[in-house]
Amino acid sequence: MSEHATCLVKGSDYIVSFLIDNGVTDVFGIPGGVVLDFLYALDKRNQDITVHLNYHEQSSAYAACGYSQVEGKLGVAYATRGPGVTNMITAIADAYYDSIPVMFITAHSYCNKYKNMRVEQDQEIDLVPMISQITKYAKRVDEGNDLPTELTKAYNLAISGRKGPVFLDISNNILSNEITIKSEKYIDESNVESINVKNITEYIRMALENSERPILLIGDGIRNLKAISNLKQFVEKVEIPVLSSRFSHDIMQNSLMYFGYIGSHATRYSNFILAKSDLIISIGNRMSFPLSSQSFRPIVENKKIIRVDVDNNELLRKIPNCKNFNVDINTLWPQLINTKLTYKYKEKWLSVCCQLREVLFSHDMDYPSEMIGRILDNINENTVIISDVGNNEFWLSRASVFAKRKNRVLYSKSFGSLGCSLPKAIGAYYGTRKPVVCFTGDQGFQFNIQELQFVVQHKLPIMIVILNNHSSGMIRSREKQLSYPKYLHTTEDSGYKAVSFNEIAKAYNCEYYAHTDTKEKFDEMISKVVKPCIVEIFVDETTEISPILLKGNECQKLTPNLPKEMYKKLNEFYMLRLF
């Protein structure tokens, strides 16, 4: 922020100036009595910052997440006291789990004299204890002179290290009255330990030198630390195969060294490569598989592993054969890039990886993924893609890798928050001013369907793609896998029901298309994301997510099974021939 001389300024005006000074251009929320001064302070500066009215506080919070998530800058959402903020809690948790820097702001008007009284004043509640568990910092601000320090501290914590949300509950007296401002700087002393990057680099160099089949495993930590350009430079120099988490497939999508995403719903060739590797260098990837997993435990027990993570708490999980380094990768890149790094049998190992990818690249492309692929083939590479939670996200991930799209894709990753995609799409648009394609399911869309009014009202270039399987598909599959005697609340004959989305589109005056339109009309429509529209893709209720790794199988043995001879060749022959 810019420095201020000692002066008097209205508290709400100070907050708005602070946000503008730190690059915030859009704020999302729904007004209430205690935050009106903040709302009007935002409006006074409407040439520099825009405040947006959503139709539910949860959507405001998700929109701030989408705004932040798409480019890594600070998002801001506000709400009134009590139920206004409690409506935001799911989205706050989503920001915390996915390390999204968002500042959530509310106000209060009481002093909490009687701590044991259940209700002292209507709507007032001490929010800090419940929210402190899902934020990097949560603070109640009662004194005006504390506001500059608390605001600066919250901001710095949100955007530094492993990023995440912060929460400020500010007395409305501070917002409405003048406070004394003194120039001061907040010093973050949370990570002052000196890291010897030369020693880390030397350890990685020796590990690579002794390796025959190394892989680089990346996760969203790479993106959150804005380390992608250095990552690509490092990969091109070392020529090391790159695997990713499913949620990070867009980071290296256009690189020949990228070999897909691993996991229980992997691109099949990726799990093969993981299984055959002898060294895993993990950067910004939590390696969050269960340590007792019969599928992944043998993988880590037979390899050397190096983990680099900015969050020391992530390294508390003890993984066999693993050397941990708690360091911001950005301090390590210069040394790594300028060091001669190589490994044995590079050409042979890359040949194995390329052949696995070539043979299996088109496997597991089902109807939903093919339809999504058609959409991806017709959109501009600058279009932002948003995913909801459910079967639609797995189909989208597979289609994105198959189509080799490098578009930015936003997911709700660790928290898995159903219904987040439409409000996140709103935030992502304001974060980039670029068209957005929002993928969701028939169930997830209904969670925050009211935000369609926002999209239409403001004529946002957002295409909403609904993959409608007329069921709660992911949970239906789970009921089937666990052999329950019947489906319950997941199918149309067991309690679940979706509305007519064509009629919903009419009610909101939104354009509607279905995949039953001619191919020419469909492709022409999806190539022009210039105004709000709904695209509905009908999927058979029985369509399952594939591939999937069943409990106890080798990590490369996903179902549906490959032909026996083909699996044997891929699993054994390449390795015997080349090594």
Side-chain angles (χ1 to χ4, degrees):
M1 68 178 267
S2 34
E3 294 193 359
H4 296 265
T6 300
C7 62
L8 292 176
V9 62
K10 191 175 178 180
S12 54
D13 292 334
Y14 177 79
I15 297 171
V16 173
S17 294
F18 180 93
L19 296 177
I20 293 170
D21 287 348
N22 284 288
V24 178
T25 59
D26 295 82
V27 174
F28 306 88
I30 296 178
V34 291
V35 290
L36 285 177
D37 282 293
F38 179 57
L39 176 65
Y40 280 90
L42 286 164
D43 186 63
K44 280 195 298 184
R45 299 291 303 275
N46 60 26
Q47 296 299 311
D48 304 306
I49 193 167
T50 304
V51 58
H52 302 284
L53 172 65
N54 296 101
Y55 290 88
H56 193 284
E57 288 93 353
Q58 184 181 93
S59 295
S60 298
Y62 279 137
C65 288
Y67 172 92
S68 171
Q69 196 173 2
V70 72
E71 290 193 344
K73 54 190 175 182
L74 183 75
V76 177
Y78 78 93
T80 193
R81 61 189 176 183
V85 176
T86 56
N87 280 343
M88 287 183 158
I89 285 180
T90 299
I92 296 174
D94 189 66
Y96 183 68
Y97 272 65
D98 286 352
S99 306
I100 307 172
V102 181
M103 182 178 290
F104 296 95
I105 296 173
T106 190
H108 61 268
S109 62
Y110 79 120
C111 58
N112 196 21
K113 293 179 181 178
Y114 310 104
K115 296 184 183 299
N116 294 324
M117 185 178 291
R118 177 176 294 185
V119 179
E120 184 178 346
Q121 294 185 35
D122 290 347
Q123 291 194 317
E124 296 286 9
I125 184 173
D126 188 359
L127 294 157
V128 170
M130 67 174 73
I131 293 179
S132 62
Q133 300 302 307
I134 50 172
T135 53
K136 288 188 71 177
Y137 187 68
K139 184 70 174 181
R140 178 186 167 100
V141 184
D142 289 315
E143 299 296 331
N145 291 341
D146 294 336
L147 180 62
T149 300
E150 294 298 342
L151 196 58
T152 306
K153 182 176 182 180
Y155 170 77
N156 280 282
L157 288 171
I159 65 168
S160 63
R162 184 175 183 179
K163 300 175 183 179
V166 292
F167 171 72
L168 293 176
D169 183 3
I170 304 166
S171 168
N172 69 334
N173 286 327
I174 297 174
L175 298 180
S176 58
N177 294 316
E178 291 184 333
I179 61 174
T180 301
I181 304 299
K182 297 180 180 179
S183 297
E184 59 179 298
K185 293 183 178 180
Y186 168 73
I187 300 174
D188 182 7
E189 298 179 343
S190 60
N191 187 20
V192 296
E193 181 182 354
S194 176
I195 302 293
N196 191 325
V197 295
K198 288 185 178 180
N199 289 348
I200 300 174
T201 301
E202 178 61 16
Y203 188 90
I204 293 174
R205 186 194 68 77
M206 292 181 63
L208 273 169
E209 192 175 273
N210 293 317
S211 170
E212 298 179 355
R213 303 180 301 281
I215 58 121
L216 181 65
L217 178 61
I218 62 170
D220 242 27
I222 288 278
R223 183 179 0 247
N224 289 340
L225 292 172
K226 298 184 177 179
I228 296 176
S229 61
N230 283 325
L231 165 69
K232 292 179 178 178
Q233 188 177 348
F234 172 78
V235 169
E236 289 172 3
K237 177 185 176 182
V238 181
E239 295 184 294
I240 182 172
V242 179
L243 302 177
S244 75
S245 64
R246 182 168 60 84
F247 301 119
S248 307
H249 63 77
D250 55 335
I251 292 177
M252 292 289 292
Q253 193 81 279
N254 59 342
S255 170
L256 292 175
M257 290 295 105
Y258 179 61
F259 291 91
Y261 56 86
I262 65 169
S264 58
H265 297 83
T267 41
R268 208 179 277 260
Y269 50 92
S270 309
N271 275 18
F272 269 98
I273 292 169
L274 176 68
K276 300 307 177 186
S277 65
D278 63 2
L279 171 66
I280 300 173
I281 302 175
S282 171
I283 301 179
N285 187 300
R286 297 177 57 235
M287 298 188 71
S288 58
F289 55 85
L291 292 177
S292 59
S293 166
Q294 297 175 50
S295 301
F296 288 100
R297 180 78 182 191
I299 296 290
V300 298
E301 285 181 338
N302 297 310
K303 304 184 192 310
K304 186 177 183 65
I305 301 171
I306 299 172
R307 279 198 298 172
V308 177
D309 204 295
V310 71
D311 184 356
N312 194 44
N313 291 322
E314 285 295 338
L315 304 177
L316 294 176
R317 290 176 67 251
K318 302 302 180 185
I319 296 178
N321 305 318
C322 186
K323 178 69 173 178
N324 298 319
F325 294 106
N326 175 215
V327 61
D328 184 334
I329 186 60
N330 287 318
T331 67
L332 190 58
W333 280 133
Q335 191 77 24
L336 282 173
I337 291 170
N338 292 319
T339 300
K340 184 177 180 180
L341 300 171
T342 189
Y343 59 95
K344 305 174 185 177
Y345 307 122
K346 179 185 294 186
E347 291 184 3
K348 290 182 178 181
W349 175 228
L350 289 176
S351 177
V352 168
C353 296
C354 288
Q355 289 183 67
L356 285 167
R357 180 173 60 189
E358 180 180 353
V359 171
L360 294 173
F361 187 73
S362 299
H363 269 265
D364 311 307
M365 282 295 290
D366 51 15
Y367 173 76
S369 297
E370 289 170 358
M371 290 301 298
I372 292 172
R374 277 179 60 186
I375 293 175
L376 299 182
D377 284 340
N378 282 279
I379 63 174
N380 188 284
E381 65 180 24
N382 292 322
T383 300
V384 181
I385 298 171
I386 315 290
S387 173
D388 214 306
V389 172
N391 288 358
N392 61 93
E393 66 177 287
F394 295 99
W395 292 322
L396 171 60
S397 298
R398 184 68 190 91
S400 296
V401 173
F402 180 78
K404 298 182 180 179
R405 300 299 303 193
K406 60 181 182 181
N407 300 67
R408 180 75 168 91
V409 185
L410 308 188
Y411 294 92
S412 173
K413 301 185 290 292
S414 298
F415 202 57
S417 187
L418 186 63
C420 68
S421 62
L422 181 56
K424 278 192 176 184
I426 293 169
Y429 167 73
Y430 286 110
T432 62
R433 303 289 171 163
K434 296 175 182 176
V436 179
V437 178
C438 165
F439 288 91
T440 186
D442 49 289
Q443 185 175 35
F445 181 57
Q446 295 182 86
F447 270 49
N448 278 300
I449 198 171
Q450 74 284 340
E451 298 309 314
L452 188 55
Q453 173 61 33
F454 186 105
V455 174
V456 173
Q457 177 182 340
H458 297 284
K459 300 180 174 62
L460 302 188
I462 295 177
M463 176 194 295
I464 301 157
V465 180
I466 303 173
L467 289 115
N468 186 356
N469 58 4
H470 303 282
S471 67
S472 179
M474 182 181 289
I475 306 306
R476 175 193 173 280
S477 296
R478 188 66 172 163
E479 290 175 342
K480 180 180 178 181
Q481 290 168 13
L482 295 175
S483 301
Y484 284 103
K486 64 177 182 178
Y487 295 123
L488 187 61
H489 292 179
T490 55
T491 61
E492 291 193 338
D493 58 0
S494 70
Y496 174 82
K497 186 71 174 178
V499 299
S500 167
F501 295 112
N502 190 3
E503 295 301 317
I504 289 293
K506 290 178 183 177
Y508 282 97
N509 196 27
C510 181
E511 289 195 15
Y512 171 89
Y513 303 88
H515 77 291
T516 51
D517 293 324
T518 65
K519 182 181 187 303
E520 291 74 19
K521 181 180 178 182
F522 189 81
D523 290 348
E524 180 184 2
M525 177 274 301
I526 60 182
S527 67
K528 300 175 181 177
V529 189
V530 294
K531 55 185 175 181
C533 64
I534 290 175
V535 176
E536 187 170 12
I537 298 174
F538 298 103
V539 180
D540 189 274
E541 176 188 297
T542 61
T543 303
E544 303 285 351
I545 304 170
S546 66
I548 184 170
L549 179 62
L550 298 180
K551 183 177 180 180
N553 279 5
E554 295 178 298
C555 90
Q556 69 272 29
K557 192 173 184 179
L558 289 85
T559 58
N561 293 330
L562 295 174
K564 187 175 180 180
E565 288 303 313
M566 183 181 189
Y567 178 81
K568 183 177 180 181
K569 178 181 178 181
L570 294 176
N571 196 38
E572 300 174 3
F573 180 67
Y574 281 151
M575 305 307 299
L576 292 172
R577 177 164 61 88
L578 295 176
F579 291 91

